């Protein structure tokens, strides 16, 4: 069986927001887990960067690690700050925009055949 968690140290205390760095004019991402049931990714958005409106097959749990982001779900905008979280429900249009530089962790849970 392969190691499910990648790109991150194990058995040591981590500061997640330090695991991904800001880069001018870009969105930087670091995948920690990616399989048929679960996806966990860290993101760092430069101010003004965005992920345009799209849908996901899984429920997406976002937690802001730094800065200020704007999450749009079904056309409704939500401002999210450090320590705050929101769920973007599966099969609903959503988008992410960095009102300021913004870091987040995205956890997406997918329905599998066994669930």
């Amino acid at each position: 069986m392969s190691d499910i968690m990648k790109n991150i140290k194990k058995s040591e205390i981590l500061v997640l927001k330090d695991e991904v760095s800001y880069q001018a004019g870009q969105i930087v991402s670091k995948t920690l887990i990616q399989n048929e049931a679960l996806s966990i990714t860290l993101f760092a958005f430069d101010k003004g960067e965005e992920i345009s409106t799209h849908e996901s097959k899984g429920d997406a749990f976002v937690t802001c690690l730094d800065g200020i982001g704007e999450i749009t779900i079904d056309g409704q905008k939500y401002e999210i700050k450090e320590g705050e979280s929101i769920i973007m429900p599966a099969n609903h249009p959503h988008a992410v925009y960095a009102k300021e530089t913004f870091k987040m962790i995205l956890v997406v849970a997918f329905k599998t055949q066994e669930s």
Side-chain angles (χ1 to χ4, degrees), residues 54-113:
H54 63 284
E55 292 183 16
S56 171
K57 299 284 187 212
D59 287 328
F61 181 79
V62 172
T63 298
C64 178
L65 302 173
D66 186 49
I68 302 172
E70 182 179 86
I71 307 295
T72 304
I73 304 167
D74 291 324
Q76 174 73 43
K77 294 182 187 302
Y78 303 88
E79 187 174 276
I80 186 171
K81 298 178 185 136
E82 184 174 345
E84 296 179 336
S85 300
I86 191 166
I87 295 174
M88 300 181 294
N91 305 310
H92 286 257
H94 57 268
V96 181
Y97 172 75
K99 292 184 83 167
E100 300 295 334
T101 54
F102 169 59
K103 290 182 182 180
M104 70 180 207
I105 185 166
L106 173 67
V107 179
V108 184
F110 298 98
K111 193 171 204 167
T112 64
Q113 296 290 62

Side-chain angles (χ1 to χ4, degrees), residues 15-29:
V15 178
L16 287 176
K17 69 181 178 181
D18 294 342
E19 292 294 316
V20 64
S21 301
Y22 293 117
Q23 291 189 24
Q26 294 186 39
I27 300 170
V28 177
S29 66

